[in-house]
Amino acid sequence: PRVVEIHLLAAGHFVRNGDENHAAKALSNLKPYENLERKPEIDKLEQKILALKARKFEHVEKEMILAWEEGRFDVGLELAERILSSLPQNKAAQQVRREFEKQQRQDRITLILHEADDAGGRHAFGREADLLKKAIALGANALELSQRLRYARNMAEKQREEIEIADLLRLWE
Protein backbone atom coordinates (compact mmCIF):
# COMPACT_ATOMS: atom_id res chain seq x y z
CA PRO A 1 0.00 0.00 0.00
CA ARG A 2 0.95 3.58 -0.58
CA VAL A 3 0.85 4.30 3.18
CA VAL A 4 3.70 1.82 3.68
CA GLU A 5 5.76 3.56 1.03
CA ILE A 6 5.16 6.97 2.61
CA HIS A 7 6.20 5.74 6.07
CA LEU A 8 9.32 4.13 4.61
CA LEU A 9 10.22 7.35 2.79
CA ALA A 10 9.64 9.34 5.98
CA ALA A 11 11.76 6.93 8.04
CA GLY A 12 14.56 7.11 5.45
CA HIS A 13 14.40 10.92 5.46
CA PHE A 14 14.63 11.06 9.27
CA VAL A 15 17.51 8.58 9.32
CA ARG A 16 19.45 10.67 6.78
CA ASN A 17 18.86 13.74 8.96
CA GLY A 18 20.01 11.92 12.11
CA ASP A 19 16.61 12.01 13.82
CA GLU A 20 16.29 8.48 15.18
CA ASN A 21 13.19 9.28 17.25
CA HIS A 22 11.05 10.37 14.29
CA ALA A 23 12.54 7.59 12.14
CA ALA A 24 11.58 5.00 14.76
CA LYS A 25 8.09 6.47 15.01
CA ALA A 26 7.65 6.30 11.22
CA LEU A 27 8.77 2.65 11.27
CA SER A 28 6.52 1.82 14.21
CA ASN A 29 3.59 3.05 12.12
CA LEU A 30 4.32 0.17 9.74
CA LYS A 31 3.74 -2.55 12.33
CA PRO A 32 0.02 -3.00 11.55
CA TYR A 33 0.82 -3.63 7.87
CA GLU A 34 3.34 -6.46 8.31
CA ASN A 35 4.61 -5.85 4.83
CA LEU A 36 6.80 -8.88 4.05
CA GLU A 37 7.94 -7.69 0.60
CA ARG A 38 9.42 -4.52 2.15
CA LYS A 39 10.86 -6.38 5.18
CA PRO A 40 14.51 -6.16 4.02
CA GLU A 41 14.12 -2.40 3.61
CA ILE A 42 12.46 -2.11 7.03
CA ASP A 43 15.22 -4.20 8.64
CA LYS A 44 17.90 -2.03 7.04
CA LEU A 45 16.23 1.14 8.37
CA GLU A 46 15.94 -0.41 11.85
CA GLN A 47 19.68 -1.14 11.78
CA LYS A 48 20.42 2.44 10.75
CA ILE A 49 18.24 3.74 13.59
CA LEU A 50 20.14 1.54 16.05
CA ALA A 51 23.42 2.87 14.68
CA LEU A 52 22.18 6.44 15.17
CA LYS A 53 21.22 5.66 18.76
CA ALA A 54 24.59 4.02 19.36
CA ARG A 55 26.42 7.09 18.04
CA LYS A 56 24.28 9.28 20.26
CA PHE A 57 25.41 7.27 23.30
CA GLU A 58 29.12 6.95 22.41
CA HIS A 59 30.16 9.76 24.77
CA VAL A 60 27.95 8.31 27.54
CA GLU A 61 29.56 4.91 27.01
CA LYS A 62 33.06 6.41 27.24
CA GLU A 63 32.08 8.26 30.41
CA MET A 64 30.60 5.05 31.83
CA ILE A 65 33.79 3.08 31.16
CA LEU A 66 35.96 5.83 32.64
CA ALA A 67 33.77 6.04 35.76
CA TRP A 68 33.95 2.28 36.19
CA GLU A 69 37.74 2.20 35.75
CA GLU A 70 38.12 5.02 38.28
CA GLY A 71 36.08 3.10 40.84
CA ARG A 72 33.02 5.36 40.65
CA PHE A 73 30.78 2.33 40.39
CA ASP A 74 27.51 4.09 41.19
CA VAL A 75 28.08 6.60 38.36
CA GLY A 76 29.16 3.81 35.99
CA LEU A 77 26.06 1.80 36.79
CA GLU A 78 23.77 4.81 36.42
CA LEU A 79 25.22 5.52 32.97
CA ALA A 80 24.97 1.84 32.02
CA GLU A 81 21.28 1.82 32.96
CA ARG A 82 20.74 4.97 30.90
CA ILE A 83 22.36 3.37 27.87
CA LEU A 84 20.49 0.08 28.33
CA SER A 85 17.14 1.86 28.52
CA SER A 86 17.63 2.91 24.89
CA LEU A 87 20.07 0.26 23.68
CA PRO A 88 19.39 -2.97 25.59
CA GLN A 89 21.92 -4.86 23.44
CA ASN A 90 24.85 -2.56 24.31
CA LYS A 91 27.66 -4.95 25.31
CA ALA A 92 29.71 -2.49 27.36
CA ALA A 93 26.71 -1.40 29.44
CA GLN A 94 25.66 -5.03 29.93
CA GLN A 95 29.20 -5.82 31.13
CA VAL A 96 29.20 -2.92 33.61
CA ARG A 97 25.85 -4.07 34.99
CA ARG A 98 27.11 -7.67 35.32
CA GLU A 99 30.30 -6.50 37.03
CA PHE A 100 28.31 -4.33 39.42
CA GLU A 101 25.99 -7.23 40.28
CA LYS A 102 29.02 -9.49 40.75
CA GLN A 103 30.65 -6.92 43.05
CA GLN A 104 27.43 -6.52 45.06
CA ARG A 105 27.17 -10.29 45.44
CA GLN A 106 30.82 -10.50 46.55
CA ASP A 107 30.32 -7.66 49.05
CA ARG A 108 27.27 -9.47 50.43
CA ILE A 109 29.23 -12.72 50.74
CA THR A 110 32.03 -10.90 52.59
CA LEU A 111 29.54 -9.35 55.00
CA ILE A 112 27.87 -12.71 55.65
CA LEU A 113 31.23 -14.38 56.25
CA HIS A 114 32.15 -11.67 58.77
CA GLU A 115 28.83 -12.30 60.52
CA ALA A 116 29.61 -16.05 60.49
CA ASP A 117 33.05 -15.35 62.02
CA ASP A 118 31.37 -13.31 64.74
CA ALA A 119 28.78 -16.03 65.38
CA GLY A 120 31.50 -18.68 65.62
CA GLY A 121 33.46 -16.49 68.02
CA ARG A 122 30.39 -16.28 70.25
CA HIS A 123 29.90 -20.07 69.99
CA ALA A 124 26.59 -19.50 68.17
CA PHE A 125 27.31 -22.44 65.90
CA GLY A 126 23.77 -22.83 64.57
CA ARG A 127 23.82 -19.22 63.41
CA GLU A 128 27.30 -19.69 61.96
CA ALA A 129 26.15 -22.75 59.98
CA ASP A 130 23.13 -20.86 58.65
CA LEU A 131 25.30 -17.94 57.55
CA LEU A 132 27.84 -20.23 55.88
CA LYS A 133 25.04 -21.96 53.95
CA LYS A 134 23.75 -18.56 52.88
CA ALA A 135 27.21 -17.48 51.69
CA ILE A 136 27.61 -20.68 49.69
CA ALA A 137 24.17 -20.18 48.13
CA LEU A 138 25.28 -16.70 47.00
CA GLY A 139 28.37 -18.14 45.33
CA ALA A 140 31.07 -18.33 48.00
CA ASN A 141 33.61 -21.11 47.50
CA ALA A 142 31.78 -24.18 48.78
CA LEU A 143 34.93 -26.29 48.73
CA GLU A 144 36.75 -23.85 51.03
CA LEU A 145 33.78 -23.50 53.39
CA SER A 146 32.60 -27.12 53.50
CA GLN A 147 34.89 -28.19 56.36
CA ARG A 148 34.00 -25.11 58.40
CA LEU A 149 30.30 -25.68 57.73
CA ARG A 150 30.58 -29.31 58.80
CA TYR A 151 32.35 -28.24 62.01
CA ALA A 152 29.71 -25.57 62.77
CA ARG A 153 26.90 -28.07 62.17
CA ASN A 154 28.55 -30.65 64.43
CA MET A 155 29.11 -28.10 67.17
CA ALA A 156 25.52 -26.83 66.85
CA GLU A 157 24.26 -30.40 67.21
CA LYS A 158 26.43 -30.93 70.31
CA GLN A 159 25.06 -27.69 71.78
CA ARG A 160 21.50 -28.85 71.15
CA GLU A 161 22.25 -32.20 72.81
CA GLU A 162 23.83 -30.49 75.81
CA ILE A 163 20.78 -28.24 76.20
CA GLU A 164 18.47 -31.27 76.04
CA ILE A 165 20.56 -33.11 78.63
CA ALA A 166 20.61 -30.05 80.88
CA ASP A 167 16.83 -29.74 80.55
CA LEU A 168 16.40 -33.41 81.45
CA LEU A 169 18.71 -33.08 84.46
CA ARG A 170 16.67 -30.15 85.72
CA LEU A 171 13.64 -32.44 85.82
CA TRP A 172 15.46 -34.59 88.42
CA GLU A 173 16.25 -31.67 90.69
Side-chain angles (χ1 to χ4, degrees), residues 65 78 81 95 114 128 137:
I65 292 168
E78 183 181 318
E81 295 298 340
Q95 179 66 25
H114 285 305
E128 180 184 15

Side-chain angles (χ1 to χ4, degrees), residues 57 68 109 134:
F57 280 98
W68 190 260
I109 288 169
K134 192 173 186 180

Side-chain angles (χ1 to χ4, degrees), residues 17-29:
N17 289 326
D19 185 350
E20 79 275 0
N21 292 328
H22 282 101
K25 185 165 176 33
L27 275 187
S28 72
N29 289 330

Side-chain angles (χ1 to χ4, degrees), residues 129-147:
D130 290 343
L131 289 165
L132 291 172
K133 285 190 292 188
K134 192 173 186 180
I136 290 169
L138 285 173
N141 190 329
L143 194 57
E144 286 179 12
L145 295 175
S146 63
Q147 186 175 356

Side-chain angles (χ1 to χ4, degrees), residues 5 7 36 46 48 54 60 63 68 85 103 111 128 134:
E5 191 174 323
H7 284 299
L36 294 178
E46 285 175 340
K48 287 181 179 181
V60 178
E63 189 179 337
W68 190 260
S85 70
Q103 184 61 47
L111 179 67
E128 180 184 15
K134 192 173 186 180

Side-chain angles (χ1 to χ4, degrees), residues 78-136:
E78 183 181 318
L79 294 171
E81 295 298 340
R82 195 164 112 201
I83 292 168
L84 290 170
S85 70
S86 291
L87 294 168
Q89 71 284 4
N90 183 285
K91 300 288 185 219
Q94 289 174 349
Q95 179 66 25
V96 165
R97 182 194 280 162
R98 274 193 305 275
E99 287 298 320
F100 183 78
E101 290 167 352
K102 181 179 171 184
Q103 184 61 47
Q104 277 187 316
R105 190 172 40 257
Q106 188 56 49
D107 290 348
R108 182 81 179 120
I109 288 169
T110 300
L111 179 67
I112 290 169
L113 290 176
H114 285 305
E115 289 178 24
D117 292 343
D118 183 53
R122 291 181 287 109
H123 299 287
F125 296 109
R127 174 86 173 130
E128 180 184 15
D130 290 343
L131 289 165
L132 291 172
K133 285 190 292 188
K134 192 173 186 180
I136 290 169

